[in-house]
Amino acid sequence: MSAGVLFDEPGPRTRARHLVYNVVAVLAVLAVLGFVVYRLNETGQLEYAKWEPFVTPDIVRAIGEGLLTTLKMAAVAIVAAVVLGMALGIGKLSEHRWLRWPCWLFVEFFRAVPLVLLIIFVFFGVLGSVEDFNSKAFWAVVIALTLYNGSVLAEVFRAGIQAVPRGQGEAAYAVGMRKHQVMRQVLLPQGVKLMIPSIISQCVVALKDTSLSYVVAGVGLTRVGKSIYTEFANHVPTLIVISVIYICVNLLLTALATWVQRRFVGEKKILAVGAVAGFDVTPGTAAPLTPGR
Amino acid sequence: MEAVLDNWQIVRDAFVVTVALVVISGIGALVWGTILAAFRVSPVQALRVFGTGYVSLARNTPLLMFFLFFQLGAGKLWDVLGFTWVSVHIGSYDFTSFFAGAVAALTLYTSSFVCEGLRSGVNAVDLGQVEAARAIGLPFSGVLRRVVLPQAFRTSVPPVVSALIAMVKNSSLAGIFGVLELANRMKGLTNNHADQRTEIFLVFALLYIVIVAAFSIGAATLERRWKVAR
């Protein structure tokens, strides 16, 4: 159902009324924006000195390097999480209880624990003896992101494999394939196709979560932002610039996910899993993915 | 383990603060998320554009930026947004500008996910329901308020609760910005008791899992109760 069917085709009077609403809404939004700009100007946030760092070559280069570190963190974490998620997802589908249960516990635990706690624990507890502060922070974030995203992706993998029509697996067994052959040659190739858009969406989540490195003094873009506003006391401009960078990268990733979905999966909705067992984020498509409900 | 047991009052207080933070921001996110969802399906184009723009910006900005804005930037722009006027003391609990800033950040961020959840619920409402509502002459507000939203709320329990559960976990960011909640206390204990870090982590993780479990049990109950009416 699209939004269009929620209301009738407007007649002349309604159209006039909607025009009034439109004008009022536009004016309201403009008033708020205008007020923001007014306050920005009034408090001197629009002064050239506050924005100058962002056209200074050295600082622009530092921001670029920070962005690169951030992207590197997200990329390493996602690649590791895909591997971990595949192992856990297949483990959760195993026929052996001794394999299924630990995988289940692992996934449920790390999906429910806040990343901030994980990062603090890995930073002080696990990597406590590492000397180099920067690489300690980098790896604390990467390990925490891997554990969390790996657990989420485990569910995506499980859902993706279960979304492959059952006849496929049954047919493979019928022609005499072994269990690992069925998984490797029949179920995974078809399932992975369904998973790729969700994996890309998970990249957006991971990229946003790299900013949590702030908790342990920061790595990448967050650190650069922090140094800039500490030095130039231009908090608002810095936050705006850093946010815009994050938004642009994330929108690109989202567009990529949508394109891949259209190109390889078709009309079906993107697989989505919630933070806790039993929740699928897209209603309506939930039923075939979770046999328990 | 002694570190936690010796400081159990601190841990208890931190738990209460986290719960308060989650409940207040949760209500805020539900209200603002519903308004945004209504904007996004309304016949007024300007509101639709605003809703879409807000959601896609808020969803793609790291939550940290919201927190940084409310703790560092907002007060400089307009002193009202510094929340210095917030100073509520209930028993031994202080709810100050740090707490209010955290509530604002969590509400504005989470509401975009709540809005998306609700919108998917609106999309799942049967077409005939809407057509029937229009046929008996209900205006848009009536269609939305009396027919579509009540059903959308029911179908969108899982995605909305998912967003709220994510918010429970995100609330831990408040600990870095001066709110004395679980993550803040965990960092303190971790620094002071180097030999018990694993136990401390597990205890605090468990406390968060308790809150998350409460949410998912509540959602399961709601889903079961509302299934009949669907």
mmCIF file with all atom_site columns, all heavy atoms in Angstrom, chain A residues 1 5 8 22 39 111 124 208 215 235 250 281, chain B residues 46 59-60 76-77 109 122-123 134 169 187 197:
data_model
loop_
_atom_site.group_PDB
_atom_site.id
_atom_site.type_symbol
_atom_site.label_atom_id
_atom_site.label_alt_id
_atom_site.label_comp_id
_atom_site.label_asym_id
_atom_site.label_entity_id
_atom_site.label_seq_id
_atom_site.pdbx_PDB_ins_code
_atom_site.Cartn_x
_atom_site.Cartn_y
_atom_site.Cartn_z
_atom_site.occupancy
_atom_site.B_iso_or_equiv
_atom_site.pdbx_formal_charge
_atom_site.auth_seq_id
_atom_site.auth_comp_id
_atom_site.auth_asym_id
_atom_site.auth_atom_id
_atom_site.pdbx_PDB_model_num
ATOM 1   N N   . MET A 1 1   ? 0.836   -1.182  0.000  1.00 0.00 ? 1   MET A N   1
ATOM 2   C CA  . MET A 1 1   ? 0.000   0.000   0.000  1.00 0.00 ? 1   MET A CA  1
ATOM 3   C C   . MET A 1 1   ? 0.879   1.242   0.000  1.00 0.00 ? 1   MET A C   1
ATOM 4   O O   . MET A 1 1   ? 1.724   1.415   0.848  1.00 0.00 ? 1   MET A O   1
ATOM 5   C CB  . MET A 1 1   ? -0.851  -0.021  1.268  1.00 0.00 ? 1   MET A CB  1
ATOM 6   C CG  . MET A 1 1   ? -1.936  0.989   1.270  1.00 0.00 ? 1   MET A CG  1
ATOM 7   S SD  . MET A 1 1   ? -2.801  0.975   2.839  1.00 0.00 ? 1   MET A SD  1
ATOM 8   C CE  . MET A 1 1   ? -1.675  1.870   3.870  1.00 0.00 ? 1   MET A CE  1
ATOM 9   N N   . VAL A 1 5   ? -2.964  6.015   -1.405 1.00 0.00 ? 5   VAL A N   1
ATOM 10  C CA  . VAL A 1 5   ? -4.328  5.533   -1.235 1.00 0.00 ? 5   VAL A CA  1
ATOM 11  C C   . VAL A 1 5   ? -4.924  5.929   0.107  1.00 0.00 ? 5   VAL A C   1
ATOM 12  O O   . VAL A 1 5   ? -6.064  5.617   0.391  1.00 0.00 ? 5   VAL A O   1
ATOM 13  C CB  . VAL A 1 5   ? -4.402  3.996   -1.379 1.00 0.00 ? 5   VAL A CB  1
ATOM 14  C CG1 . VAL A 1 5   ? -3.953  3.583   -2.760 1.00 0.00 ? 5   VAL A CG1 1
ATOM 15  C CG2 . VAL A 1 5   ? -3.593  3.319   -0.312 1.00 0.00 ? 5   VAL A CG2 1
ATOM 16  N N   . ASP A 1 8   ? -8.354  10.522  -0.675 1.00 0.00 ? 8   ASP A N   1
ATOM 17  C CA  . ASP A 1 8   ? -8.964  10.588  -2.000 1.00 0.00 ? 8   ASP A CA  1
ATOM 18  C C   . ASP A 1 8   ? -8.254  11.606  -2.871 1.00 0.00 ? 8   ASP A C   1
ATOM 19  O O   . ASP A 1 8   ? -7.566  12.500  -2.372 1.00 0.00 ? 8   ASP A O   1
ATOM 20  C CB  . ASP A 1 8   ? -10.434 10.981  -1.864 1.00 0.00 ? 8   ASP A CB  1
ATOM 21  C CG  . ASP A 1 8   ? -11.221 9.892   -1.185 1.00 0.00 ? 8   ASP A CG  1
ATOM 22  O OD1 . ASP A 1 8   ? -11.392 8.825   -1.798 1.00 0.00 ? 8   ASP A OD1 1
ATOM 23  O OD2 . ASP A 1 8   ? -11.638 10.104  -0.020 1.00 0.00 ? 8   ASP A OD2 1
ATOM 24  N N   . ASN A 1 22  ? 0.499   23.484  2.854  1.00 0.00 ? 22  ASN A N   1
ATOM 25  C CA  . ASN A 1 22  ? 1.855   23.422  2.315  1.00 0.00 ? 22  ASN A CA  1
ATOM 26  C C   . ASN A 1 22  ? 2.624   24.692  2.643  1.00 0.00 ? 22  ASN A C   1
ATOM 27  O O   . ASN A 1 22  ? 3.755   24.639  3.116  1.00 0.00 ? 22  ASN A O   1
ATOM 28  C CB  . ASN A 1 22  ? 1.795   23.249  0.796  1.00 0.00 ? 22  ASN A CB  1
ATOM 29  C CG  . ASN A 1 22  ? 2.135   21.834  0.384  1.00 0.00 ? 22  ASN A CG  1
ATOM 30  O OD1 . ASN A 1 22  ? 2.992   21.203  0.988  1.00 0.00 ? 22  ASN A OD1 1
ATOM 31  N ND2 . ASN A 1 22  ? 1.464   21.339  -0.634 1.00 0.00 ? 22  ASN A ND2 1
ATOM 32  N N   . ARG A 1 39  ? 20.625  32.221  15.068 1.00 0.00 ? 39  ARG A N   1
ATOM 33  C CA  . ARG A 1 39  ? 21.389  31.946  16.291 1.00 0.00 ? 39  ARG A CA  1
ATOM 34  C C   . ARG A 1 39  ? 22.854  31.670  15.952 1.00 0.00 ? 39  ARG A C   1
ATOM 35  O O   . ARG A 1 39  ? 23.752  32.092  16.679 1.00 0.00 ? 39  ARG A O   1
ATOM 36  C CB  . ARG A 1 39  ? 20.822  30.746  17.058 1.00 0.00 ? 39  ARG A CB  1
ATOM 37  C CG  . ARG A 1 39  ? 19.463  30.941  17.692 1.00 0.00 ? 39  ARG A CG  1
ATOM 38  C CD  . ARG A 1 39  ? 19.369  32.095  18.644 1.00 0.00 ? 39  ARG A CD  1
ATOM 39  N NE  . ARG A 1 39  ? 20.434  32.162  19.628 1.00 0.00 ? 39  ARG A NE  1
ATOM 40  C CZ  . ARG A 1 39  ? 20.484  33.051  20.604 1.00 0.00 ? 39  ARG A CZ  1
ATOM 41  N NH1 . ARG A 1 39  ? 19.527  33.948  20.727 1.00 0.00 ? 39  ARG A NH1 1
ATOM 42  N NH2 . ARG A 1 39  ? 21.481  33.057  21.454 1.00 0.00 ? 39  ARG A NH2 1
ATOM 43  N N   . ARG A 1 111 ? 24.518  -9.805  20.789 1.00 0.00 ? 111 ARG A N   1
ATOM 44  C CA  . ARG A 1 111 ? 23.538  -8.904  20.185 1.00 0.00 ? 111 ARG A CA  1
ATOM 45  C C   . ARG A 1 111 ? 22.919  -8.014  21.236 1.00 0.00 ? 111 ARG A C   1
ATOM 46  O O   . ARG A 1 111 ? 22.417  -6.927  20.931 1.00 0.00 ? 111 ARG A O   1
ATOM 47  C CB  . ARG A 1 111 ? 22.430  -9.705  19.499 1.00 0.00 ? 111 ARG A CB  1
ATOM 48  C CG  . ARG A 1 111 ? 22.795  -10.145 18.110 1.00 0.00 ? 111 ARG A CG  1
ATOM 49  C CD  . ARG A 1 111 ? 21.583  -10.355 17.254 1.00 0.00 ? 111 ARG A CD  1
ATOM 50  N NE  . ARG A 1 111 ? 20.718  -11.401 17.779 1.00 0.00 ? 111 ARG A NE  1
ATOM 51  C CZ  . ARG A 1 111 ? 19.536  -11.686 17.256 1.00 0.00 ? 111 ARG A CZ  1
ATOM 52  N NH1 . ARG A 1 111 ? 19.108  -11.027 16.222 1.00 0.00 ? 111 ARG A NH1 1
ATOM 53  N NH2 . ARG A 1 111 ? 18.808  -12.641 17.763 1.00 0.00 ? 111 ARG A NH2 1
ATOM 54  N N   . PHE A 1 124 ? 40.302  -2.166  27.994 1.00 0.00 ? 124 PHE A N   1
ATOM 55  C CA  . PHE A 1 124 ? 41.015  -2.263  29.279 1.00 0.00 ? 124 PHE A CA  1
ATOM 56  C C   . PHE A 1 124 ? 41.310  -3.709  29.655 1.00 0.00 ? 124 PHE A C   1
ATOM 57  O O   . PHE A 1 124 ? 42.357  -4.018  30.199 1.00 0.00 ? 124 PHE A O   1
ATOM 58  C CB  . PHE A 1 124 ? 40.186  -1.617  30.393 1.00 0.00 ? 124 PHE A CB  1
ATOM 59  C CG  . PHE A 1 124 ? 40.073  -0.138  30.263 1.00 0.00 ? 124 PHE A CG  1
ATOM 60  C CD1 . PHE A 1 124 ? 38.892  0.448   29.837 1.00 0.00 ? 124 PHE A CD1 1
ATOM 61  C CD2 . PHE A 1 124 ? 41.149  0.682   30.553 1.00 0.00 ? 124 PHE A CD2 1
ATOM 62  C CE1 . PHE A 1 124 ? 38.786  1.816   29.708 1.00 0.00 ? 124 PHE A CE1 1
ATOM 63  C CE2 . PHE A 1 124 ? 41.057  2.052   30.427 1.00 0.00 ? 124 PHE A CE2 1
ATOM 64  C CZ  . PHE A 1 124 ? 39.872  2.621   30.003 1.00 0.00 ? 124 PHE A CZ  1
ATOM 65  N N   . LYS A 1 208 ? 28.794  3.848   11.339 1.00 0.00 ? 208 LYS A N   1
ATOM 66  C CA  . LYS A 1 208 ? 28.330  4.791   12.348 1.00 0.00 ? 208 LYS A CA  1
ATOM 67  C C   . LYS A 1 208 ? 28.903  4.419   13.712 1.00 0.00 ? 208 LYS A C   1
ATOM 68  O O   . LYS A 1 208 ? 29.274  5.286   14.497 1.00 0.00 ? 208 LYS A O   1
ATOM 69  C CB  . LYS A 1 208 ? 26.794  4.768   12.422 1.00 0.00 ? 208 LYS A CB  1
ATOM 70  C CG  . LYS A 1 208 ? 26.135  5.496   11.293 1.00 0.00 ? 208 LYS A CG  1
ATOM 71  C CD  . LYS A 1 208 ? 24.690  5.813   11.609 1.00 0.00 ? 208 LYS A CD  1
ATOM 72  C CE  . LYS A 1 208 ? 23.871  4.568   11.825 1.00 0.00 ? 208 LYS A CE  1
ATOM 73  N NZ  . LYS A 1 208 ? 22.487  4.881   12.171 1.00 0.00 ? 208 LYS A NZ  1
ATOM 74  N N   . VAL A 1 215 ? 34.751  6.634   23.079 1.00 0.00 ? 215 VAL A N   1
ATOM 75  C CA  . VAL A 1 215 ? 34.739  6.108   24.445 1.00 0.00 ? 215 VAL A CA  1
ATOM 76  C C   . VAL A 1 215 ? 36.158  5.856   24.951 1.00 0.00 ? 215 VAL A C   1
ATOM 77  O O   . VAL A 1 215 ? 36.458  6.026   26.127 1.00 0.00 ? 215 VAL A O   1
ATOM 78  C CB  . VAL A 1 215 ? 33.937  4.790   24.461 1.00 0.00 ? 215 VAL A CB  1
ATOM 79  C CG1 . VAL A 1 215 ? 34.006  4.137   25.820 1.00 0.00 ? 215 VAL A CG1 1
ATOM 80  C CG2 . VAL A 1 215 ? 32.504  5.062   24.079 1.00 0.00 ? 215 VAL A CG2 1
ATOM 81  N N   . HIS A 1 235 ? 33.145  24.190  18.006 1.00 0.00 ? 235 HIS A N   1
ATOM 82  C CA  . HIS A 1 235 ? 32.419  22.933  18.174 1.00 0.00 ? 235 HIS A CA  1
ATOM 83  C C   . HIS A 1 235 ? 31.344  22.733  17.126 1.00 0.00 ? 235 HIS A C   1
ATOM 84  O O   . HIS A 1 235 ? 31.268  21.684  16.499 1.00 0.00 ? 235 HIS A O   1
ATOM 85  C CB  . HIS A 1 235 ? 31.801  22.870  19.561 1.00 0.00 ? 235 HIS A CB  1
ATOM 86  C CG  . HIS A 1 235 ? 32.817  22.909  20.657 1.00 0.00 ? 235 HIS A CG  1
ATOM 87  N ND1 . HIS A 1 235 ? 33.329  24.078  21.145 1.00 0.00 ? 235 HIS A ND1 1
ATOM 88  C CD2 . HIS A 1 235 ? 33.433  21.923  21.331 1.00 0.00 ? 235 HIS A CD2 1
ATOM 89  C CE1 . HIS A 1 235 ? 34.218  23.812  22.086 1.00 0.00 ? 235 HIS A CE1 1
ATOM 90  N NE2 . HIS A 1 235 ? 34.301  22.517  22.218 1.00 0.00 ? 235 HIS A NE2 1
ATOM 91  N N   . ASN A 1 250 ? 27.429  7.278   4.279  1.00 0.00 ? 250 ASN A N   1
ATOM 92  C CA  . ASN A 1 250 ? 26.345  6.335   4.568  1.00 0.00 ? 250 ASN A CA  1
ATOM 93  C C   . ASN A 1 250 ? 25.295  6.324   3.470  1.00 0.00 ? 250 ASN A C   1
ATOM 94  O O   . ASN A 1 250 ? 24.768  5.266   3.121  1.00 0.00 ? 250 ASN A O   1
ATOM 95  C CB  . ASN A 1 250 ? 25.698  6.678   5.905  1.00 0.00 ? 250 ASN A CB  1
ATOM 96  C CG  . ASN A 1 250 ? 26.573  6.236   7.062  1.00 0.00 ? 250 ASN A CG  1
ATOM 97  O OD1 . ASN A 1 250 ? 27.346  5.298   6.926  1.00 0.00 ? 250 ASN A OD1 1
ATOM 98  N ND2 . ASN A 1 250 ? 26.462  6.913   8.169  1.00 0.00 ? 250 ASN A ND2 1
ATOM 99  N N   . VAL A 1 281 ? 12.657  -7.296  11.453 1.00 0.00 ? 281 VAL A N   1
ATOM 100 C CA  . VAL A 1 281 ? 12.379  -5.870  11.397 1.00 0.00 ? 281 VAL A CA  1
ATOM 101 C C   . VAL A 1 281 ? 11.339  -5.523  10.355 1.00 0.00 ? 281 VAL A C   1
ATOM 102 O O   . VAL A 1 281 ? 10.612  -4.563  10.485 1.00 0.00 ? 281 VAL A O   1
ATOM 103 C CB  . VAL A 1 281 ? 13.692  -5.090  11.181 1.00 0.00 ? 281 VAL A CB  1
ATOM 104 C CG1 . VAL A 1 281 ? 13.431  -3.612  11.135 1.00 0.00 ? 281 VAL A CG1 1
ATOM 105 C CG2 . VAL A 1 281 ? 14.643  -5.395  12.316 1.00 0.00 ? 281 VAL A CG2 1
ATOM 106 N N   . ALA B 2 46  ? 4.846   19.289  1.603  1.00 0.00 ? 46  ALA B N   1
ATOM 107 C CA  . ALA B 2 46  ? 5.939   19.881  2.370  1.00 0.00 ? 46  ALA B CA  1
ATOM 108 C C   . ALA B 2 46  ? 6.248   19.023  3.599  1.00 0.00 ? 46  ALA B C   1
ATOM 109 O O   . ALA B 2 46  ? 7.408   18.818  3.951  1.00 0.00 ? 46  ALA B O   1
ATOM 110 C CB  . ALA B 2 46  ? 5.579   21.299  2.789  1.00 0.00 ? 46  ALA B CB  1
ATOM 111 N N   . ARG B 2 59  ? 19.023  9.072   10.482 1.00 0.00 ? 59  ARG B N   1
ATOM 112 C CA  . ARG B 2 59  ? 19.440  7.667   10.444 1.00 0.00 ? 59  ARG B CA  1
ATOM 113 C C   . ARG B 2 59  ? 20.903  7.510   10.062 1.00 0.00 ? 59  ARG B C   1
ATOM 114 O O   . ARG B 2 59  ? 21.544  6.543   10.426 1.00 0.00 ? 59  ARG B O   1
ATOM 115 C CB  . ARG B 2 59  ? 18.606  6.919   9.398  1.00 0.00 ? 59  ARG B CB  1
ATOM 116 C CG  . ARG B 2 59  ? 17.309  6.413   9.898  1.00 0.00 ? 59  ARG B CG  1
ATOM 117 C CD  . ARG B 2 59  ? 16.519  5.906   8.743  1.00 0.00 ? 59  ARG B CD  1
ATOM 118 N NE  . ARG B 2 59  ? 17.199  4.779   8.128  1.00 0.00 ? 59  ARG B NE  1
ATOM 119 C CZ  . ARG B 2 59  ? 16.710  3.554   8.086  1.00 0.00 ? 59  ARG B CZ  1
ATOM 120 N NH1 . ARG B 2 59  ? 15.559  3.305   8.617  1.00 0.00 ? 59  ARG B NH1 1
ATOM 121 N NH2 . ARG B 2 59  ? 17.351  2.587   7.513  1.00 0.00 ? 59  ARG B NH2 1
ATOM 122 N N   . ASN B 2 60  ? 21.415  8.440   9.271  1.00 0.00 ? 60  ASN B N   1
ATOM 123 C CA  . ASN B 2 60  ? 22.770  8.278   8.758  1.00 0.00 ? 60  ASN B CA  1
ATOM 124 C C   . ASN B 2 60  ? 23.826  9.043   9.544  1.00 0.00 ? 60  ASN B C   1
ATOM 125 O O   . ASN B 2 60  ? 24.992  9.034   9.190  1.00 0.00 ? 60  ASN B O   1
ATOM 126 C CB  . ASN B 2 60  ? 22.826  8.680   7.285  1.00 0.00 ? 60  ASN B CB  1
ATOM 127 C CG  . ASN B 2 60  ? 22.155  7.641   6.406  1.00 0.00 ? 60  ASN B CG  1
ATOM 128 O OD1 . ASN B 2 60  ? 22.503  6.473   6.453  1.00 0.00 ? 60  ASN B OD1 1
ATOM 129 N ND2 . ASN B 2 60  ? 21.154  8.052   5.655  1.00 0.00 ? 60  ASN B ND2 1
ATOM 130 N N   . LYS B 2 76  ? 25.772  26.583  23.308 1.00 0.00 ? 76  LYS B N   1
ATOM 131 C CA  . LYS B 2 76  ? 26.439  27.773  22.781 1.00 0.00 ? 76  LYS B CA  1
ATOM 132 C C   . LYS B 2 76  ? 25.514  28.529  21.838 1.00 0.00 ? 76  LYS B C   1
ATOM 133 O O   . LYS B 2 76  ? 25.576  29.745  21.736 1.00 0.00 ? 76  LYS B O   1
ATOM 134 C CB  . LYS B 2 76  ? 27.698  27.373  22.011 1.00 0.00 ? 76  LYS B CB  1
ATOM 135 C CG  . LYS B 2 76  ? 28.813  26.881  22.891 1.00 0.00 ? 76  LYS B CG  1
ATOM 136 C CD  . LYS B 2 76  ? 30.140  27.008  22.161 1.00 0.00 ? 76  LYS B CD  1
ATOM 137 C CE  . LYS B 2 76  ? 31.286  26.568  23.027 1.00 0.00 ? 76  LYS B CE  1
ATOM 138 N NZ  . LYS B 2 76  ? 31.292  25.132  23.274 1.00 0.00 ? 76  LYS B NZ  1
ATOM 139 N N   . LEU B 2 77  ? 24.674  27.763  21.097 1.00 0.00 ? 77  LEU B N   1
ATOM 140 C CA  . LEU B 2 77  ? 23.779  28.399  20.140 1.00 0.00 ? 77  LEU B CA  1
ATOM 141 C C   . LEU B 2 77  ? 22.645  29.117  20.845 1.00 0.00 ? 77  LEU B C   1
ATOM 142 O O   . LEU B 2 77  ? 22.289  30.232  20.511 1.00 0.00 ? 77  LEU B O   1
ATOM 143 C CB  . LEU B 2 77  ? 23.180  27.347  19.206 1.00 0.00 ? 77  LEU B CB  1
ATOM 144 C CG  . LEU B 2 77  ? 24.108  26.746  18.164 1.00 0.00 ? 77  LEU B CG  1
ATOM 145 C CD1 . LEU B 2 77  ? 23.309  25.843  17.250 1.00 0.00 ? 77  LEU B CD1 1
ATOM 146 C CD2 . LEU B 2 77  ? 24.776  27.842  17.369 1.00 0.00 ? 77  LEU B CD2 1
ATOM 147 N N   . TYR B 2 109 ? 17.358  10.770  17.745 1.00 0.00 ? 109 TYR B N   1
ATOM 148 C CA  . TYR B 2 109 ? 17.968  9.718   16.924 1.00 0.00 ? 109 TYR B CA  1
ATOM 149 C C   . TYR B 2 109 ? 17.010  8.537   16.760 1.00 0.00 ? 109 TYR B C   1
ATOM 150 O O   . TYR B 2 109 ? 16.736  8.107   15.633 1.00 0.00 ? 109 TYR B O   1
ATOM 151 C CB  . TYR B 2 109 ? 19.259  9.267   17.588 1.00 0.00 ? 109 TYR B CB  1
ATOM 152 C CG  . TYR B 2 109 ? 20.010  8.169   16.871 1.00 0.00 ? 109 TYR B CG  1
ATOM 153 C CD1 . TYR B 2 109 ? 20.753  8.447   15.727 1.00 0.00 ? 109 TYR B CD1 1
ATOM 154 C CD2 . TYR B 2 109 ? 20.006  6.872   17.354 1.00 0.00 ? 109 TYR B CD2 1
ATOM 155 C CE1 . TYR B 2 109 ? 21.456  7.451   15.087 1.00 0.00 ? 109 TYR B CE1 1
ATOM 156 C CE2 . TYR B 2 109 ? 20.714  5.876   16.719 1.00 0.00 ? 109 TYR B CE2 1
ATOM 157 C CZ  . TYR B 2 109 ? 21.436  6.171   15.583 1.00 0.00 ? 109 TYR B CZ  1
ATOM 158 O OH  . TYR B 2 109 ? 22.135  5.179   14.945 1.00 0.00 ? 109 TYR B OH  1
ATOM 159 N N   . VAL B 2 122 ? 2.254   0.843   8.472  1.00 0.00 ? 122 VAL B N   1
ATOM 160 C CA  . VAL B 2 122 ? 1.207   1.486   7.674  1.00 0.00 ? 122 VAL B CA  1
ATOM 161 C C   . VAL B 2 122 ? 1.110   0.804   6.307  1.00 0.00 ? 122 VAL B C   1
ATOM 162 O O   . VAL B 2 122 ? 0.021   0.539   5.797  1.00 0.00 ? 122 VAL B O   1
ATOM 163 C CB  . VAL B 2 122 ? 1.508   2.997   7.499  1.00 0.00 ? 122 VAL B CB  1
ATOM 164 C CG1 . VAL B 2 122 ? 0.596   3.622   6.452  1.00 0.00 ? 122 VAL B CG1 1
ATOM 165 C CG2 . VAL B 2 122 ? 1.354   3.720   8.818  1.00 0.00 ? 122 VAL B CG2 1
ATOM 166 N N   . ASN B 2 123 ? 2.277   0.481   5.737  1.00 0.00 ? 123 ASN B N   1
ATOM 167 C CA  . ASN B 2 123 ? 2.275   -0.172  4.432  1.00 0.00 ? 123 ASN B CA  1
ATOM 168 C C   . ASN B 2 123 ? 1.651   -1.557  4.486  1.00 0.00 ? 123 ASN B C   1
ATOM 169 O O   . ASN B 2 123 ? 1.200   -2.076  3.473  1.00 0.00 ? 123 ASN B O   1
ATOM 170 C CB  . ASN B 2 123 ? 3.707   -0.285  3.903  1.00 0.00 ? 123 ASN B CB  1
ATOM 171 C CG  . ASN B 2 123 ? 4.219   1.043   3.413  1.00 0.00 ? 123 ASN B CG  1
ATOM 172 O OD1 . ASN B 2 123 ? 3.427   1.933   3.090  1.00 0.00 ? 123 ASN B OD1 1
ATOM 173 N ND2 . ASN B 2 123 ? 5.522   1.198   3.383  1.00 0.00 ? 123 ASN B ND2 1
ATOM 174 N N   . ARG B 2 134 ? -12.326 5.423   3.525  1.00 0.00 ? 134 ARG B N   1
ATOM 175 C CA  . ARG B 2 134 ? -12.566 6.552   2.649  1.00 0.00 ? 134 ARG B CA  1
ATOM 176 C C   . ARG B 2 134 ? -13.995 6.536   2.126  1.00 0.00 ? 134 ARG B C   1
ATOM 177 O O   . ARG B 2 134 ? -14.637 7.579   1.959  1.00 0.00 ? 134 ARG B O   1
ATOM 178 C CB  . ARG B 2 134 ? -11.580 6.536   1.481  1.00 0.00 ? 134 ARG B CB  1
ATOM 179 C CG  . ARG B 2 134 ? -10.220 7.082   1.856  1.00 0.00 ? 134 ARG B CG  1
ATOM 180 C CD  . ARG B 2 134 ? -9.162  6.685   0.866  1.00 0.00 ? 134 ARG B CD  1
ATOM 181 N NE  . ARG B 2 134 ? -9.555  6.958   -0.505 1.00 0.00 ? 134 ARG B NE  1
ATOM 182 C CZ  . ARG B 2 134 ? -8.953  6.443   -1.569 1.00 0.00 ? 134 ARG B CZ  1
ATOM 183 N NH1 . ARG B 2 134 ? -7.939  5.608   -1.400 1.00 0.00 ? 134 ARG B NH1 1
ATOM 184 N NH2 . ARG B 2 134 ? -9.360  6.737   -2.762 1.00 0.00 ? 134 ARG B NH2 1
ATOM 185 N N   . LYS B 2 169 ? 20.511  -0.087  24.298 1.00 0.00 ? 169 LYS B N   1
ATOM 186 C CA  . LYS B 2 169 ? 21.955  -0.283  24.203 1.00 0.00 ? 169 LYS B CA  1
ATOM 187 C C   . LYS B 2 169 ? 22.668  1.033   23.932 1.00 0.00 ? 169 LYS B C   1
ATOM 188 O O   . LYS B 2 169 ? 23.730  1.294   24.484 1.00 0.00 ? 169 LYS B O   1
ATOM 189 C CB  . LYS B 2 169 ? 22.259  -1.307  23.093 1.00 0.00 ? 169 LYS B CB  1
ATOM 190 C CG  . LYS B 2 169 ? 21.678  -2.671  23.421 1.00 0.00 ? 169 LYS B CG  1
ATOM 191 C CD  . LYS B 2 169 ? 22.148  -3.724  22.476 1.00 0.00 ? 169 LYS B CD  1
ATOM 192 C CE  . LYS B 2 169 ? 21.435  -3.610  21.158 1.00 0.00 ? 169 LYS B CE  1
ATOM 193 N NZ  . LYS B 2 169 ? 22.031  -4.513  20.164 1.00 0.00 ? 169 LYS B NZ  1
ATOM 194 N N   . LYS B 2 187 ? 32.805  1.680   33.630 1.00 0.00 ? 187 LYS B N   1
ATOM 195 C CA  . LYS B 2 187 ? 34.137  2.177   33.291 1.00 0.00 ? 187 LYS B CA  1
ATOM 196 C C   . LYS B 2 187 ? 34.907  2.499   34.572 1.00 0.00 ? 187 LYS B C   1
ATOM 197 O O   . LYS B 2 187 ? 36.094  2.163   34.699 1.00 0.00 ? 187 LYS B O   1
ATOM 198 C CB  . LYS B 2 187 ? 34.027  3.422   32.406 1.00 0.00 ? 187 LYS B CB  1
ATOM 199 C CG  . LYS B 2 187 ? 35.322  3.733   31.690 1.00 0.00 ? 187 LYS B CG  1
ATOM 200 C CD  . LYS B 2 187 ? 35.187  4.891   30.716 1.00 0.00 ? 187 LYS B CD  1
ATOM 201 C CE  . LYS B 2 187 ? 36.522  5.151   30.037 1.00 0.00 ? 187 LYS B CE  1
ATOM 202 N NZ  . LYS B 2 187 ? 36.488  6.305   29.144 1.00 0.00 ? 187 LYS B NZ  1
ATOM 203 N N   . ARG B 2 197 ? 38.069  -7.462  35.896 1.00 0.00 ? 197 ARG B N   1
ATOM 204 C CA  . ARG B 2 197 ? 37.411  -6.821  34.756 1.00 0.00 ? 197 ARG B CA  1
ATOM 205 C C   . ARG B 2 197 ? 36.379  -7.703  34.090 1.00 0.00 ? 197 ARG B C   1
ATOM 206 O O   . ARG B 2 197 ? 35.315  -7.242  33.699 1.00 0.00 ? 197 ARG B O   1
ATOM 207 C CB  . ARG B 2 197 ? 38.469  -6.390  33.740 1.00 0.00 ? 197 ARG B CB  1
ATOM 208 C CG  . ARG B 2 197 ? 39.106  -5.101  34.171 1.00 0.00 ? 197 ARG B CG  1
ATOM 209 C CD  . ARG B 2 197 ? 40.246  -4.711  33.304 1.00 0.00 ? 197 ARG B CD  1
ATOM 210 N NE  . ARG B 2 197 ? 40.749  -3.413  33.768 1.00 0.00 ? 197 ARG B NE  1
ATOM 211 C CZ  . ARG B 2 197 ? 41.986  -3.000  33.583 1.00 0.00 ? 197 ARG B CZ  1
ATOM 212 N NH1 . ARG B 2 197 ? 42.852  -3.759  32.942 1.00 0.00 ? 197 ARG B NH1 1
ATOM 213 N NH2 . ARG B 2 197 ? 42.359  -1.823  34.026 1.00 0.00 ? 197 ARG B NH2 1
#
